Amino acid sequence: MLTNIQETANSLSLLERKLLPHLKEQTTVSELVASSGLQEVEVGRALMWLGNRDIVSTQISEKELVVLFENGQLASKFGLPEFRILKSLTSGPKTISELESDTLPRPEIMACIGILKSKQAANIEKVNGDMQLSITPAGNILIQNNLYEPQHFFDKYTTFPLDFLALNEKEREIVFELSKRKLMVKVETQKTTNVTLQPLGKELIAANVDFSNVEEQLTDTMLKDGSWKEKTFRTYDVRSPVPRVAVSGRRHPAREANNIIRDIYLQMGFQEMSGPWVETCFWCMDSMWIPQDHPARDVQDTFFIGKEGDLPNPELVEKVKAVHETGGNTGSTGYQKPWDPNLAKQLILRTHSTATSFRYLNDLGNKDGKYFYVANVFRNEAVDTTHLAEFVQAEGFVIGDNLTLSDLMGFIKEFYARLGITKIRFKPTYNPYTEPSLEAHYYDEKKGKWYALINSGIFRPESLAPYGIKKTVIAWGMGASRVAALLNSKNNLRELVGPTVSFDWIANHKTPIPKLSEENNDSASRQPTAGVGTDEGGDY
Ligand code: PHE
């Protein structure tokens, strides 16, 4: 809180300054609205800010008020209609037409007949086709002795609204009865916000600060003509209390999910890779034998940086060129088209982490190893519930001898099991750089649907030839963002990452760590074991 009065004054906003002269020891919001000419919301806002600075305090009080409606106002002015009818009957019976007037309309008379009959104060009979009302002896007594209590109420109280709680029991009962009648009276709760000036507010008002020179905003004109030098600007009150939003920092659930994936890879003996987010097309596409006319090279699918990067050593580039154009010495025919090094130089946001896998394979050569990467990747896609322009991929590969499709399937099964997923199926697919290629789908019990989570395969000879790799490489990429959604029971990626995520959720939610069931726990039989182990990898 600010202590210096001038400092406090300079930090007041325009609304607060406008309200200040209208504050009194004790006042209400409606009084302030009336005296300041501000709107109720503006007064409310200004009071909230003034309250935050301890200049005022507010308390809400409630009052039960008796208010009059249309028929109530008539009754207040002319007397209750049944009472007026009864009174007029003292001079002799009357037909409804005779009773009817501006202040006693027919429907009102009809309603009163019921009331009078229930009190046995009047009789009704048909005379010459019209209804005729006459007063009974009981009715006469009511009038002569002035015993009709509801009328007493209107005789006693002439100004409304009335404080309901100030009425006696009898009067409250009458109000209750009257409130059942159409458009007569009602008891309403009225809320009043009382405003009490606090010591700081009193000091502030006593100081009689002149605000005429305080500017709300620095404008370009003030900057240009230098007039800002002479002005006093409203200061920010950086000490003004604000609601606490979080007690402490914590890891985002999507990151927790990445760490769960990382842990599973580490437990399975894989080593972590890392690589650049901005890649050349060479490493992202050409290095693995993706043809130069592949749709992924299109701006529709890929974010191009608009700059060129460096190609690796000329020998490697030459080998990649050969395998693209003619198949090199792999026995393949290649794409039978000229390979353009300029396309390979283009810089892009990497579209998959396989770019990094190939950088590692290039360095590894024929050394066995198991590698993984939890990587941010980017695709220029239409955003929907399961696609964002940026997502996380968890890539991995195993290089070794005698690896087969069973090893690949075994690895995938094991990985899924460690995520708590056991119902999976495989489907053949196509990648330019793997043959055979497999998609692994899992069954989402809650949604009753199959989802593709892993794309995988065995790298083709054409993709490995430039690096002189004679071994087998089984490899896969999985949608880690999807895993994060799955572990956190979210259907929509936008509830997990990005600006639409609930802040409360991020602050309080912890990603549940999947539990391995006994049934899934025979990992040894499923892990790819063919000659590869943690300690046999490269020295990265
Ligand atoms: N790069 C593939 C993708 O982005 C995944 C993959 C990696 C497939 C390695 C096969 C081998 O979907």
Side-chain angles (χ1 to χ4, degrees):
M1 218 188 46
L2 296 170
T3 44
N4 178 300
I5 284 298
Q6 186 60 50
E7 228 184 295
T8 307
N10 285 351
S11 74
L12 296 184
S13 68
L14 197 61
L15 277 182
E16 290 170 286
R17 296 202 304 258
K18 279 189 182 166
L19 200 61
L20 197 63
H22 304 279
L23 291 173
K24 286 184 279 183
E25 179 90 36
Q26 192 71 53
T27 171
T28 66
V29 167
S30 11
E31 281 167 17
L32 286 172
V33 170
S35 61
S36 68
L38 294 173
Q39 300 194 340
E40 196 169 328
V41 279
E42 295 176 313
V43 171
R45 213 172 300 148
L47 285 175
M48 193 179 80
W49 295 330
L50 291 167
N52 282 345
R53 306 173 198 273
D54 272 343
I55 292 170
V56 297
S57 71
T58 54
Q59 308 82 27
I60 292 172
S61 67
E62 286 187 356
K63 228 179 184 179
E64 304 287 310
L65 293 181
V66 183
V67 289
L68 294 187
F69 290 97
E70 212 173 298
N71 290 337
Q73 273 153 8
L74 288 178
S76 167
K77 212 163 160 190
F78 304 107
L80 275 163
E82 68 276 23
F83 183 74
R84 289 164 63 198
I85 292 171
L86 206 57
K87 226 171 160 183
S88 73
L89 294 181
T90 51
S91 59
K94 298 226 160 50
T95 64
I96 292 181
S97 317
E98 283 169 323
L99 286 168
E100 214 176 331
S101 71
D102 277 356
T103 53
L104 262 182
R106 184 168 278 255
E108 197 65 5
I109 298 170
M110 300 313 281
C112 289
I113 294 173
I115 298 171
L116 292 174
K117 277 184 78 179
S118 73
K119 302 204 179 308
Q120 289 164 353
N123 282 325
I124 185 152
E125 56 197 339
K126 224 177 194 164
V127 177
N128 301 330
D130 204 351
M131 308 276 260
Q132 196 181 54
L133 278 174
S134 53
I135 194 162
T136 63
N140 261 320
I141 294 174
L142 267 184
I143 293 296
Q144 269 149 31
N145 300 346
N146 195 14
L147 296 177
Y148 192 54
E149 276 164 343
Q151 184 55 45
H152 293 175
F153 175 77
F154 281 108
D155 293 340
K156 178 167 172 191
Y157 298 107
T158 49
T159 40
F160 289 84
L162 278 179
D163 183 355
F164 180 75
L165 295 178
L167 300 178
N168 64 39
E169 201 142 326
K170 185 104 219 154
E171 289 166 338
R172 288 186 200 181
E173 252 170 60
I174 290 169
V175 168
F176 178 69
E177 284 306 316
L178 288 173
S179 70
K180 291 186 200 157
R181 291 170 65 165
K182 226 166 121 191
L183 297 176
M184 192 64 85
V185 304
K186 217 179 207 147
V187 180
E188 282 182 351
T189 309
Q190 194 195 54
K191 275 192 186 160
T192 311
T193 310
N194 301 299
V195 183
T196 314
L197 205 55
Q198 297 300 297
L200 183 61
K202 284 178 198 162
E203 260 186 83
L204 199 57
I205 289 176
N208 205 7
V209 189
D210 176 15
F211 290 113
S212 55
N213 250 333
V214 181
E215 293 288 342
E216 278 289 303
Q217 241 173 7
L218 177 67
T219 63
D220 53 347
T221 329
M222 292 180 200
L223 283 173
K224 274 187 220 146
D225 64 17
S227 62
W228 63 272
K229 287 180 207 153
E230 273 79 57
K231 308 232 185 246
T232 311
F233 291 92
R234 174 150 82 88
T235 53
Y236 286 114
D237 181 1
V238 290
R239 283 163 293 185
S240 149
V242 291
R244 273 182 96 102
V245 283
V247 180
S248 61
R250 54 149 306 177
R251 194 162 275 132
H252 192 292
R255 291 230 170 242
E256 284 176 336
N258 291 350
N259 285 346
I260 289 171
I261 293 174
R262 187 173 279 120
D263 282 347
I264 296 176
Y265 272 121
L266 292 172
Q267 283 158 13
M268 291 175 78
F270 282 74
Q271 297 188 62
E272 190 163 12
M273 302 188 275
S274 87
W277 291 25
V278 174
E279 267 291 11
T280 51
C281 277
F282 179 87
W283 283 113
C284 212
M285 323 246 180
D286 299 286
S287 71
M288 66 197 75
W289 208 55
I290 294 178
Q292 290 201 313
D293 59 1
H294 194 274
R297 307 249 192 180
D298 204 278
V299 283
Q300 240 78 64
D301 294 282
T302 299
F303 294 108
F304 283 80
I305 301 291
K307 288 192 177 142
E308 287 190 345
D310 294 331
L311 292 180
N313 68 73
E315 281 151 75
L316 178 60
V317 174
E318 226 12 79
K319 285 177 189 160
V320 167
K321 178 179 161 76
V323 84
H324 273 254
E325 290 180 348
T326 65
N329 55 9
T330 59
S332 160
T333 60
Y335 293 118
Q336 303 281 306
K337 272 185 205 155
W339 182 83
D340 181 358
N342 288 323
L343 290 181
K345 281 182 191 162
Q346 288 176 309
L347 282 174
I348 57 172
L349 292 182
R350 66 181 175 202
T351 52
H352 59 175
S353 39
T354 316
T356 302
S357 294
F358 272 79
R359 282 178 178 271
Y360 274 66
L361 284 169
N362 177 40
D363 287 347
L364 271 177
N366 281 302
K367 249 194 238 162
D368 290 350
K370 306 202 283 189
Y371 288 87
F372 80 96
Y373 191 9
V374 183
N376 297 61
V377 300
F378 306 86
R379 291 183 193 172
N380 194 0
E381 280 181 301
V383 169
D384 65 22
T385 54
T386 51
H387 295 92
L388 295 177
E390 177 185 356
F391 61 101
V392 180
Q393 235 183 8
E395 170 110 5
F397 71 83
V398 180
I399 174 166
D401 298 312
N402 307 320
L403 289 168
T404 67
L405 202 59
S406 300
D407 292 305
L408 177 60
M409 291 163 85
F411 164 80
I412 291 172
K413 267 192 182 165
E414 175 60 26
F415 198 93
Y416 270 127
R418 286 177 188 238
L419 283 174
I421 301 168
T422 46
K423 198 164 172 183
I424 64 169
R425 70 181 182 194
F426 295 97
K427 209 184 122 192
T429 185
Y430 171 77
N431 292 305
Y433 40 92
T434 51
E435 183 61 37
S437 306
L438 276 184
E439 263 178 15
H441 296 222
Y442 73 92
Y443 189 71
D444 187 323
E445 299 286 351
K446 270 195 221 127
K447 294 187 90 185
K449 264 182 163 168
W450 289 93
Y451 285 98
L453 187 61
I454 296 184
N455 175 20
S456 68
I458 300 180
F459 283 134
R460 295 179 70 102
E462 293 96 324
S463 67
L464 296 177
Y467 316 98
I469 293 174
K470 302 273 184 302
K471 303 213 174 213
T472 311
V473 183
I474 57 173
W476 55 86
M478 82 182 76
S481 300
R482 252 223 96 73
V483 173
L486 189 77
L487 294 179
N488 289 301
S489 308
K490 293 280 182 201
N491 292 330
N492 191 329
L493 268 187
R494 280 171 284 188
E495 289 171 24
L496 190 75
V497 287
T500 47
V501 176
S502 147
F503 197 80
D504 264 0
W505 183 79
I506 295 189
N508 301 310
H509 176 80
K510 190 146 180 56
T511 308
I513 297 172
K515 279 205 176 63
L516 263 185
S517 68
E518 281 303 310
E519 175 203 351
N520 311 330
N521 213 357
D522 57 343
S523 44
S525 63
R526 297 205 200 101
Q527 264 205 65
T529 49
V532 280
T534 13
D535 46 0
E536 293 165 349
D539 46 358
Y540 302 95

